[in-house]
Amino acid sequence: MSSLRLTVFVSENDTWHRRPLFAEIVHRAHRAGLAGASVFRGVEGFGSTSVVHTSRLLSLSEDLPVAIVIVDAEERVRAFLPELEEIVGEGLAVLDPVEVIRFPRRDDKDSGKGEEAR
């Protein structure tokens, strides 16, 4: 099965109906049944405006870049794209083919947790 990584770049101050846009994207991905979504806040970056936003001390900018990363089967990710078109006013989305490796969940007995060090 072919998988895609969808990375959506927006600004942390972007909103959708007074809610942070990144939160709206995550909740829509969840409702769409996608495998998962994570939000990463950048420490520095610039976009189409060419204004550099940074988290460094003494900076007046707090509108930092945010990346929302979603990985799932290609068909499911592509089916989600119209949701993004509806709510992302200014931003960028990148699709990358990825190889997914899943690690099975282990219970505490199998992982060695709770055992004394020998």
Side-chain angles (χ1 to χ4, degrees):
M1 171 177 28
S2 170
S3 295
L4 287 178
R5 174 179 49 213
L6 168 62
T7 307
V8 184
F9 297 94
V10 297
S11 294
E12 72 176 334
N13 289 342
D14 289 344
T15 60
W16 175 257
H17 297 282
R18 290 187 235 136
R19 178 184 202 176
L21 180 59
F22 61 83
E24 182 67 21
I25 292 170
V26 167
H27 285 88
R28 286 184 181 218
H30 184 257
R31 281 195 309 268
L34 294 172
S38 297
V39 177
F40 300 92
R41 184 176 187 232
V43 295
E44 187 166 83
F46 69 93
S48 60
T49 63
S50 295
V51 175
V52 175
H53 300 277
T54 180
S55 64
R56 286 184 279 160
L57 215 53
L58 303 177
S59 170
L60 298 176
S61 174
E62 292 181 1
D63 190 17
L64 294 170
V66 174
I68 304 99
V69 178
I70 299 168
V71 178
D72 206 325
E74 180 175 0
E75 310 80 53
R76 295 170 62 87
V77 170
R78 290 194 183 279
F80 184 67
L81 292 177
E83 293 263 357
L84 292 178
E85 289 180 42
E86 177 186 340
I87 63 174
V88 176
E90 184 176 344
L92 175 72
V94 177
L95 290 173
D96 299 299
V98 293
E99 180 178 351
V100 175
I101 301 169
R102 287 188 170 86
F103 297 100
R105 179 178 294 199
R106 299 181 189 181
D107 61 11
D108 288 347
K109 289 185 288 186
D110 292 340
S111 66
K113 291 181 183 176
E115 294 181 16
E116 292 184 38
R118 297 175 194 214

